[in-house]
């Protein structure tokens, strides 16, 4: 058997072994492409073995769309965190900055933010959800998380490489982010889950765009929070000072092979499309403004949506285009996040699966967690739990401890259920009330893009689907 045939046999055996456990690797597609190219140079093209190899390699290459789609399954025995660890080892990364950057982007690429957290106003419930730990060994691809769980997963991923992540927060606040001391006079600040200046890295990683929540800085900047930099007037000078350090991200992404020559695909697209080269201008001709808006609408309709981006994240993706439009074109475009409440549909079905407690107590805890207020015990309730409480058989300390345990369980259910999911609404208004040219779009991953020509038709759809 020739050397090439031996190499193909080894590759196919390894691929088949991975396939049986549900592991798909984009590198396998690239390897199959290289082997097929070499095989086509072989003089034995009529050979039965050649044809069998060719067919199998073409099947593997045909998986490319599925793998790029990112809706593929990992081995159910491996978590997303362990998968990223294995990828770092497979890429043989040794530079701490490259390891941190790769882990950061991959974690953002394969997780979603649990926007249910943003709908909660009760600070005690926010605290419970933020403090509910995630299990890095069991958290799968495309799980829903909040900032604290994202950071916990990152800590787990980087630990085997001797990299420690410091948890950062502010007194009286629940948002957390990470900081890493590189022990060389530099730090890395990491915040993948927060919206920073209309940008969130859970979206940027999925669309291969510049990130805002990752920066390598001199350690004199330790303790900085991105929201302060972009939202507080007294931080403007600091933001101007550190902006140049974002270029390090380009260097890292180029070294990782994510981008070429330090340029992101979306930057090339924006620079080469005349629609987005008049940012600070203002269009005075009404007909030209109408034409411009129509071209923007066609661009949005024709532009493929990045794979796996959800209705919460796509706001940041579209914003990168909208902010580059002329001033009064931007003024005719509206975008916001809408929500669908899925709690009633799934909560009852899963309640008994996760909790083994008296029904009345569950009702009490539901109101405690979801209705945001405490339901004091009524004297007319008749069950063993409350009877024990009334008779003094359960102390106040024991009750507090039990409630805390159950609250944490329900917070975990809350994350599993994802009671709300986000839908992006984008509206392009026509100047001078020309409603024939108006454009309404709703986007959610489960349905995809849905467009409407009138406000009334969109409103009817939202009412029918209880979109709020």
């Amino acid at each position: 058997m020739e050397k090439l045939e031996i190499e193909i046999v080894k590759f196919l055996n390894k691929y088949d072994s991975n396939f049986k456990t549900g592991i798909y690797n984009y590198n396998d597609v690239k390897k199959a492409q290289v082997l097929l190219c070499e095989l086509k140079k072989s003089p034995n093209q009529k050979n039965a073995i050649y044809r069998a190899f060719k067919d199998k390699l073409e099947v593997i290459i045909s998986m490319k769309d599925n793998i790029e789609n990112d809706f593929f399954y990992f081995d159910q025995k491996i978590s997303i965190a362990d998968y990223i660890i294995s990828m770092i080892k497979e890429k043989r990364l040794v530079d701490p900055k490259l390891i941190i950057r790769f882990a950061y982007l991959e974690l953002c690429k394969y997780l979603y933010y649990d926007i249910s957290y943003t709908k909660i106003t009760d600070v005690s419930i926010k605290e419970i959800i933020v403090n509910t730990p995630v299990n890095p060994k069991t958290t799968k691809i495309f799980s829903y998380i909040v900032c604290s769980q994202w950071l916990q997963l990152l800590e787990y991923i980087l630990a085997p490489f001797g990299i420690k992540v410091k948890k950062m927060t502010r007194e009286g606040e629940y948002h957390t982010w990470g900081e890493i001391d590189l022990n060389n006079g530099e730090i890395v600040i990491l915040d993948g889950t927060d919206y920073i200046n209309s940008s969130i890295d859970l979206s940027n990683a999925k669309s291969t765009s510049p990130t805002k929540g990752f920066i390598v800085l001199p350690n004199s900047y330790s303790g900085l929070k991105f929201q302060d930099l972009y939202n507080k007037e007294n931080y403007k000078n600091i933001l101007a000072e550190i902006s140049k350090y974002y270029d390090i991200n380009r260097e890292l992404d180029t070294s990782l092979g994510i981008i070429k020559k330090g340029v992101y695909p979306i930057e090339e697209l924006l620079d080469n499309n005349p629609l987005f080269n008049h940012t600070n201008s203002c269009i005075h001709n009404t007909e030209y403004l109408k034409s411009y808006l129509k071209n923007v609408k066609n661009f949005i309709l024709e532009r493929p949506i990045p794979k796996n981006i959800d209705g919460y994240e796509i706001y940041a993706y579209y914003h990168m285009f909208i902010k580059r439009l002329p001033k009064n074109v931007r003024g005719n475009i509206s975008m916001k996040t809408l929500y669908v409440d899925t709690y009633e549909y799934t909560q009852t079905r899963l309640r008994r699966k996760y909790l083994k407690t008296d029904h009345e107590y569950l009702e009490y805890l539901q109101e405690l967690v979801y209705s945001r207020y405490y339901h004091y015990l009524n004297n007319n309730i008749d069950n063993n739990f409350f009877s024990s409480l009334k008779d003094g058989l359960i102390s106040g300390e024991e009750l507090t401890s039990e409630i805390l345990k159950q609250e944490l369980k329900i917070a975990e259910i809350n994350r599993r259920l994802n009671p709300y999911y986000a839908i992006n609404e984008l509206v392009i208004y026509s100047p001078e009330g020309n409603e024939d040219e108006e454009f309404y779009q709703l986007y959610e991953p489960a349905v995809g893009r849905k467009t409407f020509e009138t406000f009334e038709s969109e409103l009817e759809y939202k009412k029918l689907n209880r979109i709020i």
Side-chain angles (χ1 to χ4, degrees):
M1 188 176 286
E2 296 182 0
K3 182 179 178 181
L4 176 61
E5 292 175 342
I6 294 173
E7 186 179 1
I8 292 174
V9 168
K10 287 182 178 178
F11 167 73
L12 293 178
N13 286 338
K14 180 182 176 183
Y15 177 85
D16 287 340
S17 177
N18 287 340
F19 184 86
K20 289 176 182 177
T21 56
I23 300 175
Y24 302 96
N25 192 325
Y26 185 68
N27 289 329
D28 287 342
V29 174
K30 293 191 287 186
K31 178 69 173 178
Q33 289 172 328
V34 171
L35 291 174
L36 182 60
C37 185
E38 291 297 314
L39 191 63
K40 287 181 177 179
K41 298 176 185 178
S42 170
N44 302 319
Q45 296 191 19
K46 295 183 179 180
N47 187 294
I49 294 177
Y50 169 91
R51 291 198 300 272
F53 284 160
K54 177 176 176 293
D55 290 344
K56 186 61 181 283
L57 291 172
E58 286 177 344
V59 167
I60 295 172
I61 294 168
S62 71
M63 297 290 291
K64 178 174 180 286
D65 290 339
N66 291 334
I67 293 174
E68 287 183 339
N69 211 7
D70 284 337
F71 286 113
F72 59 95
Y73 295 96
F74 291 98
D75 180 355
Q76 292 303 307
K77 296 177 183 177
I78 189 170
S79 67
I80 180 58
D82 285 329
Y83 177 77
I84 294 174
I85 290 171
S86 70
M87 288 289 288
I88 293 171
K89 292 178 179 177
E90 185 178 316
K91 292 177 75 69
R92 300 185 181 181
L93 300 178
V94 292
D95 184 331
K97 291 181 189 176
L98 289 177
I99 293 173
I100 297 165
R101 180 63 175 173
F102 182 81
Y104 179 87
L105 292 175
E106 291 298 299
L107 202 55
C108 288
K109 191 187 298 182
Y110 294 118
L111 292 174
Y112 292 126
Y113 189 76
D114 183 356
I115 52 89
S116 303
Y117 177 79
T118 67
K119 299 289 288 180
I120 294 172
T121 57
D122 190 316
V123 292
S124 64
I125 307 307
K126 281 183 176 288
E127 185 175 6
I128 290 170
I129 293 176
V130 167
N131 291 334
T132 301
V134 67
N135 186 345
K137 299 294 291 183
T138 59
T139 301
K140 302 300 182 185
I141 184 173
F142 299 132
S143 292
Y144 286 86
I145 47 82
V146 295
C147 56
S148 54
Q149 287 107 26
W150 180 88
L151 189 63
Q152 188 181 345
L153 291 169
L154 186 66
E155 289 173 329
Y156 175 88
I157 292 167
L158 296 178
F161 305 99
I163 300 171
K164 295 182 179 180
V165 183
K166 182 181 178 182
K167 180 179 178 179
M168 306 293 290
T169 189
R170 292 277 173 82
E171 187 176 352
E173 298 178 7
Y174 296 109
H175 180 65
T176 60
W177 68 97
E179 185 173 296
I180 297 171
D181 188 346
L182 295 176
N183 299 314
N184 64 351
E186 293 179 312
I187 58 168
V188 186
I189 302 176
L190 315 100
D191 191 341
T193 63
D194 204 11
Y195 255 97
I196 304 167
N197 197 30
S198 298
S199 175
I200 185 170
D201 286 349
L202 291 172
S203 171
N204 296 326
K206 294 178 177 74
S207 63
T208 318
S209 303
T211 56
K212 284 277 177 65
F214 182 106
I215 193 166
V216 181
L217 293 171
N219 58 15
S220 57
Y221 290 102
S222 177
L224 282 180
K225 182 181 179 182
F226 285 108
Q227 283 291 355
D228 292 342
L229 289 171
Y230 285 91
N231 296 331
K232 294 185 178 180
E233 188 70 26
N234 56 325
Y235 280 85
K236 277 192 172 181
N237 291 337
I238 298 177
L239 179 59
E241 289 173 11
I242 70 170
S243 291
K244 62 185 179 182
Y245 290 100
Y246 275 117
D247 288 339
I248 296 175
N249 294 350
R250 296 178 184 273
E251 298 170 12
L252 296 174
D253 291 351
T254 301
S255 296
L256 290 169
I258 295 168
I259 59 174
K260 297 178 180 178
K261 299 179 181 179
V263 180
Y264 293 89
I266 197 164
E267 294 174 329
E268 288 186 311
L269 175 64
L270 288 166
D271 291 342
N272 294 328
N273 191 316
L275 281 175
F276 307 105
N277 292 329
H278 307 283
T279 307
N280 296 316
S281 66
C282 192
I283 299 172
H284 299 288
N285 183 291
T286 302
E287 292 304 315
Y288 184 46
L289 178 57
K290 289 180 183 178
S291 173
Y292 212 109
L293 286 164
K294 185 175 182 179
N295 289 334
V296 171
K297 178 182 75 172
N298 291 335
F299 173 86
I300 290 171
L301 282 171
E302 295 168 6
R303 179 70 192 157
I305 292 173
K307 305 299 183 183
N308 303 321
I309 205 165
D310 75 359
Y312 183 67
E313 299 162 348
I314 200 172
Y315 181 101
Y317 178 70
Y318 278 145
H319 181 76
M320 288 188 285
F321 297 104
I322 293 172
K323 70 180 181 181
R324 289 279 295 262
L325 293 169
K327 291 180 180 178
N328 55 337
V329 173
R330 296 198 302 266
N332 282 275
I333 299 175
S334 168
M335 187 168 56
K336 63 182 177 180
T337 302
L338 307 175
Y339 299 92
V340 173
D341 184 350
T342 59
Y343 169 70
E344 291 298 330
Y345 174 72
T346 54
Q347 193 275 341
T348 302
R349 178 168 55 87
L350 292 181
R351 179 179 60 195
R352 291 208 178 266
K353 177 178 178 182
Y354 291 111
L355 294 178
K356 305 297 182 183
T357 316
D358 289 334
H359 178 77
E360 289 81 5
Y361 186 50
L362 287 172
E363 294 295 331
Y364 163 68
L365 289 172
Q366 284 172 228
E367 291 198 351
L368 174 68
V369 176
Y370 291 108
S371 300
R372 332 302 190 230
Y373 64 86
Y374 283 83
H375 174 69
Y376 289 101
L377 305 179
N378 295 319
N379 290 328
N380 59 353
I381 294 177
D382 183 21
N383 81 20
N384 292 335
F385 175 82
F386 292 127
S387 296
S388 299
L389 184 64
K390 291 174 190 174
D391 296 338
L393 300 177
I394 298 177
S395 68
E397 184 177 346
E398 289 173 329
L399 174 63
T400 301
S401 176
E402 183 63 23
I403 286 177
L404 178 60
K405 290 177 185 177
Q406 299 300 330
E407 284 177 348
L408 290 175
K409 282 185 182 179
I410 289 182
E412 173 65 18
I413 291 177
N414 178 37
R415 292 200 301 107
R416 295 190 187 204
L417 291 177
N418 189 32
Y420 293 95
Y421 69 90
I423 296 177
N424 177 270
E425 179 185 56
L426 189 151
V427 181
I428 300 178
Y429 298 99
S430 180
E432 298 185 350
N434 185 357
E435 295 180 359
D436 291 341
E437 295 297 328
E438 291 191 345
F439 170 75
Y440 301 82
Q441 175 183 286
L442 298 177
Y443 169 77
E444 57 174 303
V447 177
R449 235 192 294 243
K450 197 160 186 65
T451 60
F452 308 87
E453 294 182 356
T454 66
F455 169 76
E456 288 75 18
S457 59
E458 189 209 24
L459 182 61
E460 183 179 352
Y461 179 84
K462 288 196 289 188
K463 286 181 177 178
L464 182 64
N465 291 277
R466 298 183 180 181
I467 299 171
I468 55 178

